[in-house]
Amino acid sequence: MEKRYFTIGMAGHIDHGKTSLTKALTNVDTDRLKEEKERQISIELGFAPLYEDEEIQVSVIDVPGHERFIRQMIAGVAGIDLVVLVVAADEGVMPQTREHLDILGFLGIQSGIVAITKIDRVDEEFIELVKDDILGELTGTVFETSPVVMVDSLSKKGIEDVKSLIIDTLKTKEVREFRGAFRLPIDQVFTVKGQGTVVRGTVYEGSIEEGQALQVMPKGQEVRARQLQVHHQPAKAAFAGQRVAVNLSGVSREDVERGDVLVSSQQFIVTKTIDVAITVVEDLEHLVKQRTLIKCHIGTAEVMGRIVFFDRNELQSENGEVLCQLRLEEEIVTKRGDRFIIRRPSPQETIGGGWVIDPRGNKYRFGQGTIAELEKKKAGTPEERIEAALLEAKGLTLTELIKRTALEEQELLDNLQSKKFLLFNSKEYTLASLVVLIEEDIGDKLRSFHENHPMRPGINKAELLQGIQKQVPKSLAEFVIENGLQKRMFNRKEQFVSLESFKPHVPKSWEKRTDNLLEELKGDGFKVRHLRDYLTSAGIPESLSAELVRFLEEQKYIISLDEQYYWHFDIFSEAVDTLRNHTGSEFEVGEAKEAVNLSRKYMIPFLERLDALGVTRRVENKRIWKK
């Protein structure tokens, strides 16, 4: 089973005990800033490791509860897997609690736990009354049927119950999709002395590896992940659902800001106009008119813009989704299905939230014709549904596609005739564009490997597959490699895969010394010294010796008699020819010594090497030449 990574959020009204509960669960105080300590409220996102075993790793984000810090709360809660709604027993559901509930619903949060805190402040006989009152306020929200735990962070009552419930709930959740393009909306940017720019966030999708080339969008800056940290510990990789800090090379602190997105692919769209489906809060206080100024929170970005309607001129509380458009003042990075929140900047109020129908919105006419087109977009054309399913899963059978797209089999088959789609392994479909991307990725991996290990024949196929499987299913990775071999993009020798154009070679800086080694070894003929003497004499460092010797053996420049003695391959071939020409179909050691004029020191290892190579076969005291 693949390990799964989850991030949970603490949400609720100011001073209801979110940070205290986080500390009780993790032993980490997430209030880091001096101002936070002084005011005893959370301003910035705080995070801490909660739990890890062989199956799952869990991080906690403590999001601010104060109204002024609602934007940090939205940035923190977007992309999390489970929310613990914290409600103080002595105050119950408060205005900020309700606003948090609206936001959680708009962002599509499906899993929740209710933690009623500060129970030691309420008389025991009132506990159940408090609980019933709070649950009554949660009717109609995601927390309506959520489990409820009574806790007190100071006395630690119920803390283990909360922790167990979180772990048990997450272990039943499906793993996030970490194959495919990496995306990390940045919620924190800072510098570390001697290291440079560091960004932090929750990995929305895909995975990241140390040393990986990336882009900071929407600006398009080329960067590299110099180092990674998960839970303040160095990591070689990070996956969807994990909180990760990435030390970037190639960009300054001033060039990156909260709201930017770190990506591994150009498949993500940069846009200022998005077609959306929104749902409005029930108790909207102010009328929303055509082209009202709004603030859009999407991922970790916070962008001003205007809302544009096509079937009305004003909006109040509505039932169901409203199809409209957001025209933003700054570019964002998004794709179909992304969730967002819209708020009125003044007076401050959450208007609603929804999801992106099309990140590439255009200008449309006012009227029902446009609404009809947006309805079609919302449902998605058959081709778009297939494309979206394959973008997510990378490879699917016909049966799996029917389930994911809700299309009839014949309609599905008709659309799969498009050149966009490709059948592989006679039963699975993928995107032709994805195959090209994987081919390019394999080419980059091979090119990098050849540069770092020019004397090796290539990457072991199993190792190459393991690297690619982090992005795509094994069956698709196998297909792309085999397809590349047929197209002569790649070459395979035994279990090693290389670029077709690549030939193993000694690094240019060591060519002369290697030539000197071979020349000296050949000059000594049969009576050679230990190989390490030749390596030392040629000035070959120990760090290079093992790989150089392996290369020279594979390329048949040298051949080992035993672990210490090696002959130049030409000398070895000459000895074999001489022995064959001076013996019959079989011979003994004495005859061999006379034919080749070798001492026993070299003769026995020489004959044993012939046996090992299958040139001869030993029978008692004799050796028989094999045909």
Side-chain angles (χ1 to χ4, degrees):
M1 178 184 291
E2 291 176 332
K3 190 163 184 173
R4 296 175 292 164
Y5 304 92
F6 298 104
T7 299
I8 71 167
M10 297 284 178
H13 191 74
I14 182 175
D15 201 31
H16 274 209
K18 299 185 301 297
T19 301
S20 297
L21 179 56
T22 301
K23 186 175 181 180
L25 286 167
T26 66
N27 295 317
V28 175
D29 186 353
T30 55
D31 278 348
R32 311 177 317 283
L33 304 179
K34 181 182 177 184
E35 187 183 357
E36 291 177 327
K37 297 288 187 185
E38 290 173 350
R39 297 169 60 186
Q40 296 186 320
I41 60 173
S42 296
I43 298 170
E44 292 290 344
L45 302 173
F47 68 95
L50 173 70
Y51 178 79
E52 184 169 11
D53 62 18
E54 293 180 355
E55 292 181 47
I56 64 173
Q57 181 191 79
V58 186
S59 302
V60 182
I61 292 182
D62 172 19
V63 295
H66 194 279
E67 196 277 335
R68 283 179 56 196
F69 309 124
I70 198 78
R71 69 184 182 91
Q72 281 94 331
M73 183 267 175
I74 293 169
V77 83
I80 69 175
D81 303 284
L82 177 147
V83 171
V84 178
L85 182 69
V86 178
V87 185
D90 58 346
E91 289 192 335
V93 174
M94 299 291 282
Q96 275 299 298
T97 314
R98 294 188 182 93
E99 185 161 24
H100 282 206
L101 285 167
D102 286 338
I103 290 168
L104 294 172
F106 294 141
L107 292 175
I109 300 298
Q110 300 294 319
S111 297
I113 293 171
V114 179
I116 300 177
T117 59
K118 304 186 180 184
I119 57 172
D120 282 2
R121 296 190 183 185
V122 180
D123 292 338
E124 197 167 328
E125 59 264 29
F126 288 110
I127 290 289
E128 285 303 316
L129 291 174
V130 169
K131 179 179 175 182
D132 290 342
D133 183 52
I134 290 171
L135 289 179
E137 293 280 356
L138 298 178
T139 301
T141 73
V142 68
F143 294 95
E144 183 175 6
T145 58
S146 295
V148 179
V149 187
M150 316 296 286
V151 299
D152 188 273
S153 299
L154 297 180
S155 66
K156 301 294 179 74
K157 287 181 184 175
I159 294 299
E160 285 305 314
D161 293 336
V162 176
K163 192 169 185 177
S164 297
L165 193 53
I166 290 169
I167 293 164
D168 292 344
T169 303
L170 291 175
K171 284 192 173 183
T172 63
K173 286 181 69 69
E174 290 185 13
V175 64
R176 272 209 204 187
E177 182 56 62
F178 63 79
R179 298 185 176 98
F182 167 78
R183 178 163 58 145
L184 177 88
I186 296 167
D187 58 46
Q188 291 175 342
V189 187
F190 51 95
T191 56
V192 175
K193 191 174 181 180
Q195 298 297 319
T197 305
V198 178
V199 300
R200 189 152 51 199
T202 303
V203 183
Y204 265 32
E205 55 195 321
S207 61
I208 182 175
E209 293 182 351
E210 190 176 69
Q212 187 172 350
L214 302 162
Q215 284 187 315
V216 178
M217 303 297 285
K219 302 177 187 76
Q221 296 137 311
E222 301 285 340
V223 296
R224 190 170 293 277
R226 182 187 291 155
Q227 293 176 321
L228 307 178
Q229 275 197 2
V230 175
H231 292 172
H232 299 290
Q233 298 297 319
K236 293 293 183 186
F239 305 92
Q242 283 188 301
R243 290 284 300 173
V244 62
V246 187
N247 178 205
L248 298 177
S249 62
V251 70
S252 67
R253 164 68 183 85
E254 292 70 31
D255 292 331
V256 188
E257 59 187 337
R258 181 203 298 252
D260 286 344
V261 185
L262 195 60
V263 301
S264 65
S265 167
Q266 294 183 352
Q267 74 179 50
F268 296 107
I269 295 166
V270 175
T271 181
K272 292 170 73 172
T273 305
I274 55 176
D275 297 337
V276 298
I278 65 168
T279 304
V280 184
V281 297
E282 285 185 9
D283 51 354
L284 189 65
E285 292 184 20
H286 302 89
L287 203 65
V288 179
K289 295 183 179 181
Q290 179 74 286
R291 297 184 182 274
T292 288
L293 186 67
I294 55 96
K295 187 180 287 184
C296 176
H297 298 267
I298 185 162
T300 56
E302 178 187 353
V303 184
M304 300 297 290
R306 295 190 181 274
I307 188 166
V308 177
F309 302 115
F310 302 104
D311 60 347
R312 68 195 72 200
N313 286 309
E314 59 183 41
L315 178 72
Q316 210 155 14
S317 295
E318 299 279 344
N319 292 322
E321 290 183 320
V322 176
L323 302 183
C324 56
Q325 189 175 78
L326 301 182
R327 296 181 185 171
L328 307 173
E329 294 178 3
E330 301 172 45
E331 290 183 326
I332 60 167
V333 177
T334 188
K335 70 177 188 179
R336 178 180 168 89
D338 281 356
R339 296 267 182 171
F340 62 86
I341 303 293
I342 51 174
R343 303 191 81 234
R344 184 193 304 276
S346 180
Q348 292 190 0
E349 177 188 19
T350 297
I351 296 170
W355 60 282
V356 177
I357 296 173
D358 187 350
R360 294 158 291 200
N362 291 309
K363 290 190 175 181
Y364 311 122
R365 291 176 180 273
F366 186 91
Q368 286 301 317
T370 294
I371 296 298
E373 288 302 312
L374 290 177
E375 286 284 4
K376 287 181 184 177
K377 274 192 183 185
K378 180 183 168 185
T381 65
E383 188 171 89
E384 285 170 343
R385 287 194 226 171
I386 297 167
E387 192 170 359
L390 292 175
L391 268 173
E392 184 180 350
K394 316 310 175 199
L396 293 169
T397 63
L398 188 64
T399 303
E400 290 167 339
L401 274 169
I402 291 170
K403 289 179 182 176
R404 291 208 183 204
T405 62
L407 294 172
E408 295 293 333
E409 183 173 343
Q410 192 55 53
E411 185 179 20
L412 186 58
L413 287 169
D414 290 344
N415 279 277
L416 284 169
Q417 299 305 309
S418 166
K419 290 183 179 179
K420 281 186 176 182
F421 310 118
L422 186 67
L423 179 67
F424 68 98
N425 295 347
S426 302
K427 61 179 182 179
E428 291 181 90
Y429 291 88
T430 190
L431 294 167
S433 59
L434 181 59
V435 170
V436 173
L437 286 173
I438 300 169
E439 283 176 347
E440 290 173 354
D441 183 45
I442 293 172
D444 290 342
K445 281 183 167 61
L446 292 174
R447 200 169 291 108
S448 176
F449 186 90
H450 295 331
E451 287 173 3
N452 294 323
H453 306 287
M455 292 186 288
R456 297 186 190 178
I459 303 179
N460 189 300
K461 184 185 175 186
E463 183 182 338
L464 181 60
L465 278 171
Q466 190 175 21
I468 306 168
Q469 278 175 247
K470 292 175 182 176
Q471 284 86 38
V472 298
K474 183 180 178 181
S475 58
L476 179 55
E478 289 259 23
F479 166 78
V480 175
I481 290 174
E482 293 302 320
N483 193 50
L485 290 169
Q486 291 178 19
K487 290 161 62 176
R488 295 187 174 275
M489 295 175 64
F490 313 133
N491 185 39
R492 182 170 59 203
K493 182 179 181 182
E494 298 175 343
Q495 75 269 37
F496 300 103
V497 180
S498 65
L499 290 172
E500 176 66 24
S501 58
F502 174 75
K503 295 291 183 285
H505 61 278
V506 175
K508 201 165 187 66
S509 56
W510 298 105
E511 278 182 357
K512 183 64 177 174
R513 297 187 190 194
T514 304
D515 289 341
N516 292 341
L517 181 153
L518 292 172
E519 187 177 336
E520 187 176 4
L521 190 67
K522 188 173 184 178
D524 285 347
F526 298 145
K527 298 179 180 179
V528 293
R529 309 188 305 277
H530 288 177
L531 184 64
R532 67 171 178 270
D533 293 341
Y534 292 92
L535 292 165
T536 303
S537 176
I540 306 294
E542 276 193 37
S543 59
L544 189 70
S545 294
E547 190 149 347
L548 177 63
V549 171
R550 182 171 63 242
F551 167 79
L552 294 175
E553 279 194 279
E554 287 172 351
Q555 300 300 314
K556 291 190 165 35
Y557 287 109
I558 62 175
I559 188 167
S560 66
L561 299 183
D562 57 24
E563 292 181 358
Q564 296 177 326
Y565 294 104
Y566 284 71
W567 280 353
H568 193 287
F569 200 88
D570 291 349
I571 299 298
F572 177 83
S573 299
E574 180 185 323
V576 174
D577 290 341
T578 301
L579 183 60
R580 193 185 288 274
N581 292 334
H582 289 80
T583 57
S585 59
E586 58 183 46
F587 61 89
E588 294 182 352
V589 175
E591 293 175 79
K593 285 177 66 179
E594 187 175 327
V596 187
N597 192 23
L598 276 179
S599 67
R600 189 175 184 85
K601 174 181 174 181
Y602 300 109
M603 177 56 70
I604 299 303
F606 170 57
L607 294 178
E608 287 176 350
R609 171 54 66 187
L610 292 181
D611 295 340
L613 292 172
V615 178
T616 56
R617 178 167 59 89
R618 183 175 178 177
V619 180
E620 296 180 350
N621 293 328
K622 293 184 178 181
R623 280 179 168 79
I624 301 169
W625 290 103
K626 287 189 176 181
K627 293 182 180 180

